[in-house]
């Protein structure tokens, strides 16, 4: 089992290198030489998939005019409600810890732009607003864009009687294996024993087959400073000992390292047979990240801080990572994420979207990954917690099956839209913000 | 005169290419081969200048504790007021059209971070907050960071009895030549004749020796679509005819073009002896921009949408532009801009900061450029307009000399801090936002 996983890891990397095994890792027509030169990257294949439509407009024969868009607030928490001219409603919950920093963009930019538009033009609307609002670009803007897109997809799913994911693609992943990306950011400051025990408890609850630990200080400063001397090395070793050879283990650097230290830590991860190695360098150190990638055999993952299609196009064409991780919120929603997934597929790479803790993140994630091509086997999961930005549990009821992890596997919800009913009493605690 | 300018243009580019003429364009120790390979860029020289301190701490022997930071609001407009433990005060005006989209970041992130800190540690404070708040990164965050930095520099300048610029360097540019970057964004939609006439009036008022026109649709979509067929070609030709051979002309593409069209337009600019060619491609098309740069002999300018030091490090090391244009607000203030200026100098390139219209932009600009190494001869100017976000003229009084453009040259104000007193009655129309 242990070696099988190790073989699989090498296999991912080798497939990307050698252009083999097309059935499992779809490759580009032009081949997939791994150590591609920057100037020689083949962008034409990626540009072709970027042109493909995402939203299945054919599901909606008549215009669906977005008549009203409301942002509701209760202290730090935000809810988006959209209503069509014909009375269809869609609801989403804002990002749990960024919405409060950028909600004026929702009011000043997104409401005026989306109001009165035909929701069937969502591809084009998302493209225009994300690419032209240059001075407002960034994660905080994309978080608001994702919020409105999720509400519109909820509304469209309710109209079509289909889960939101189905509006964007065919269900290629009716269930997914999870990896535990622990919700407690402060994990890094705990003793390795303590932090591993917390993850262990979650692993028991979910029977997850994969767990991700956090290396370094996670400061995005390439400081090479650990929270305690030797803490990361100890954590890497102890995680393998605690979870055993059958557990798939990943490691997230969150920008802790410079190139040299990133490679040193990577070699230790290889020694302990880790599955992937995430973002050891600050996110925008693209060329340095390519150096690290080339120096290691462990597959590398990254991209959660990206907000630009063009940036992913570069990262994918140049195979800076083997596994790309757009965040559904930070990257501005599902339509844009689908474009990244398609590029990853075209380049023989994989995608596993990043997920913040809290809110309804896991719901949006499940809709997305259900239809995601080139999906990595394991997908981030931070428990079925629905804490909102005020620390209140968002009361939701599934429209269909229960949300549960059985043997580390979660079935995609089959209810319409985002698959849940949010308790109207909870929504009532939020007041509409007036422009 | 005409040919002299043209010679100078070629000279800038050639100096950067050949490593000659060190007296005018300081070059790196490692030489400045223009068509440097991406993988071969010499980053060590840049990394060395990045380590140098910016704020002259030696001017302040005792701690200056930032005791109180307030954000004041009047509808769309924001004012920042900082107060030291010893009662010194600094004031800045928020960005005229982005502050209203991201002011919660000021409240939620910047006030808690800067309160209680020693203002003498400003270099380190700016570094930490700009590099670690990864999920909030982008122009909207940097605009808030710049606002607080300007207020702190105003306070420090008032304490030291020095203009803000002098806190960051020696005055190497006691006066600057302006170029008119017209304040009317809608200029693009006017007939070439009309838009040129508006610029002409400004040129008469200021006696500016340089004018920048706007090409294409300015959509950041690389659409290659003009607002009217042939409008840009006509504008380029007519601007030369209207202003004559003695006027220095620049052209800004604002992301209108794909590579092929960018080069075609660039060749026309060369034909009409334009001085620089700004941002023809969407800002994050780095590799494509390098292709355009290599295909043209006209110096290229860009960088106004950047918010990362690491991005400028890449752009400068690889000489993607000959002239870099960080925006004081979008890039998060003067300390970070000084780091870009130093990198530009080390690489034999030039800097001319970008400036948004409105607010007190020109004041901040004047302080910055007064101490900027490797400053491009012509600097952006959008008239002495001080319209705030609500369209109200900000009533300011210079502490020293009058603000005026004489023969297209503006003297750097010598008053302390940002050099002005803002009418207290105006400030009173703004109310402190409570956290």
């Amino acid at each position: 089992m242990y070696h099988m996983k190790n073989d699989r890891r090498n296999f991912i990397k080798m497939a990307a290198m050698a252009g083999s095994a097309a059935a499992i890792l779809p490759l580009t027509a032009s081949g997939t030489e791994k150590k591609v030169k920057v100037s020689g990257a083949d962008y034409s294949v990626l540009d072709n998939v970027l042109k493909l439509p995402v939203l299945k407009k054919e599901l909606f024969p008549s215009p669906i005019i977005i008549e009203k868009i409301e942002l509701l607030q209760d202290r730090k928490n935000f809810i988006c409600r959209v209503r069509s001219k014909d009375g269809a409603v869609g609801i989403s919950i804002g990002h749990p810890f960024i919405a409060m920093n950028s909600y004026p963009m929702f009011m000043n930019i997104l409401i005026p732009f989306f109001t009165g538009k035909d929701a069937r033009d969502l591809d084009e609307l998302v493209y225009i607003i994300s690419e032209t609002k240059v001075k407002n670009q960034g994660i905080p803007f994309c978080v608001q864009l994702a919020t409105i897109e999720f509400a519109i997809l909820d509304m469209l799913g309710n109209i079509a009687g289909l889960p939101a994911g189905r509006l964007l693609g065919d269900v290629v992943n009716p269930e997914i294996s999870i990896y535990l990306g622990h919700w407690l950011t402060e994990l890094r400051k705990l003793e390795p024993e303590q932090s591993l025990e917390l993850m262990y408890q979650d692993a028991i609850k979910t029977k997850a087959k994969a767990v991700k630990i956090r290396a370094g200080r996670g400061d995005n400063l390439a400081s090479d400073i650990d929270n305690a001397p030797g803490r990361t090395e100890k954590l890497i070793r102890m995680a393998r000992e605690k979870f055993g050879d059958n557990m798939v283990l990943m490691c997230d650097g969150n920008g802790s390292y410079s190139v040299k230290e990133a490679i040193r830590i990577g070699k230790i991860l290889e020694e302990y047979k880790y599955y992937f190695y995430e973002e050891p360098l600050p996110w925008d150190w693209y060329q340095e990240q390519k150096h690290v990638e080339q120096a290691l055999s462990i597959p590398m993952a990254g991209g959660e801080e990206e907000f630009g299609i063009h940036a992913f196009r570069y990262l994918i064409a140049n195979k800076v990572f083997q596994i790309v991780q757009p965040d559904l919120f930070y990257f501005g929603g599902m339509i844009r994420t689908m474009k990244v997934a398609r590029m990853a597929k075209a380049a023989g790479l994989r995608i596993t979207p990043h997920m913040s803790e809290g809110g309804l993140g896991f719901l949006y994630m499940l809709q997305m990954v259900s239809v995601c091509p080139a999906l990595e086997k394991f997908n981030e999961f931070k428990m079925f917690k629905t804490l909102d930005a005020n620390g209140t549990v968002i009361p939701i009821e599934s429209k269909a099956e229960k949300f549960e992890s059985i043997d580390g596997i979660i079935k995609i919800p089959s209810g319409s839209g985002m698959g849940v009913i949010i308790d109207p009493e909870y929504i009532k605690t939020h007041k509409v913000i007036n422009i």
Side-chain angles (χ1 to χ4, degrees), chain A residues 380-399:
Chain A
E380 188 152 28
F381 181 67
K382 292 173 175 171
M383 309 302 282
F384 295 112
K385 287 154 51 92
T386 59
L387 290 186
D388 74 9
N390 299 317
T392 306
V393 174
I394 304 168
I396 54 170
E397 193 187 318
S398 174
K399 291 178 180 174

Side-chain angles (χ1 to χ4, degrees), chain A residues 196-356:
Chain A
L196 289 171
E197 181 57 28
L198 283 174
M199 289 189 284
Y200 193 75
Q201 293 305 321
D202 283 354
I204 288 174
K205 279 181 216 152
T206 57
K207 295 199 171 60
K209 302 290 180 282
V211 170
K212 187 170 80 180
I213 63 168
R214 297 191 191 220
R217 200 168 63 167
D219 53 15
N220 197 53
L221 291 175
S223 66
D224 295 337
I225 299 170
D226 215 333
N227 278 325
R231 183 184 179 281
T232 294
E233 293 88 326
K234 194 174 166 190
L235 184 69
I236 294 170
R237 176 176 53 77
M238 289 183 65
R240 177 55 75 208
E241 288 166 4
K242 182 155 187 110
F243 288 106
D245 287 352
N246 285 343
M247 184 65 89
V248 172
L249 291 175
M250 298 86 158
C251 179
D252 188 351
N254 288 110
S256 296
Y257 302 123
S258 65
V259 170
K260 196 176 155 189
E261 183 69 356
I263 293 171
R264 189 182 75 82
I265 296 291
K267 299 271 186 202
I268 301 172
L269 293 172
E270 288 172 359
E271 184 188 339
Y272 286 97
K273 316 290 183 196
Y274 275 59
Y275 185 82
F276 71 60
Y277 183 20
E278 180 174 334
E279 206 184 25
L281 307 184
W283 69 276
D284 56 351
W285 289 33
Y286 298 149
Q287 296 181 299
E288 294 85 348
Q289 169 56 36
K290 184 66 189 171
H291 286 306
V292 173
E293 189 275 329
Q294 287 185 309
L296 295 171
S297 63
I298 186 171
M300 301 213 67
E304 80 182 69
E305 332 288 355
E306 300 299 334
F307 57 87
I309 293 271
H310 208 74
F312 268 114
R313 179 176 170 275
Y314 171 86
L315 294 171
I316 289 170
N318 295 286
K319 300 191 167 57
V320 174
F321 302 106
Q322 276 69 46
I323 301 160
V324 290
Q325 303 176 296
D327 179 289
L328 292 189
F329 268 108
Y330 306 160
F331 193 61
M334 297 192 192
I335 289 174
R336 302 183 87 221
T337 300
M338 183 60 111
K339 287 176 181 278
V340 173
R342 287 173 176 171
M343 285 196 287
K345 179 174 175 173
L349 303 179
R350 298 234 156 206
I351 182 171
T352 182
H354 174 267
M355 195 187 107
S356 303

Side-chain angles (χ1 to χ4, degrees), chain A residues 8 176-178 275 350-352 375-379:
Chain A
R8 186 173 172 283
I176 58 151
S177 296
I178 59 171
Y275 185 82
R350 298 234 156 206
I351 182 171
T352 182
L375 190 69
E376 162 54 39
K377 181 172 176 187
F378 296 101
N379 285 275

Side-chain angles (χ1 to χ4, degrees), chain A residues 105 108-114 125-138 141-142 145 307 336:
Chain A
M105 297 185 192
N108 300 332
I109 300 172
L110 298 179
I111 290 183
F113 178 75
F114 279 94
L125 296 172
V126 165
Y127 169 70
I128 294 290
I129 202 70
S130 63
E131 299 293 335
T132 62
K133 291 291 168 191
V134 181
K135 309 300 189 213
N136 287 284
Q137 277 183 5
F141 177 77
C142 282
L145 177 58
F307 57 87
R336 302 183 87 221

Side-chain angles (χ1 to χ4, degrees), chain A residues 71-81 91-97 99 147 329 358-361 363-364 385-397 420-432:
Chain A
L71 191 64
L72 294 78
Q73 178 178 21
D74 172 17
R75 290 160 291 157
K76 294 181 179 178
N77 200 63
F78 296 83
I79 298 175
C80 169
R81 186 166 56 200
I91 292 174
S92 66
I93 307 282
H95 189 273
F97 51 88
T147 303
F329 268 108
L360 297 187
L363 268 188
Y364 304 136
K385 287 154 51 92
T386 59
L387 290 186
D388 74 9
N390 299 317
T392 306
V393 174
I394 304 168
I396 54 170
E397 193 187 318
V420 295
I421 293 161
I422 302 171
D423 185 346
E425 294 302 315
Y426 170 79
I427 296 175
K428 274 186 200 158
T429 63
H430 295 66
K431 302 293 167 233
V432 175

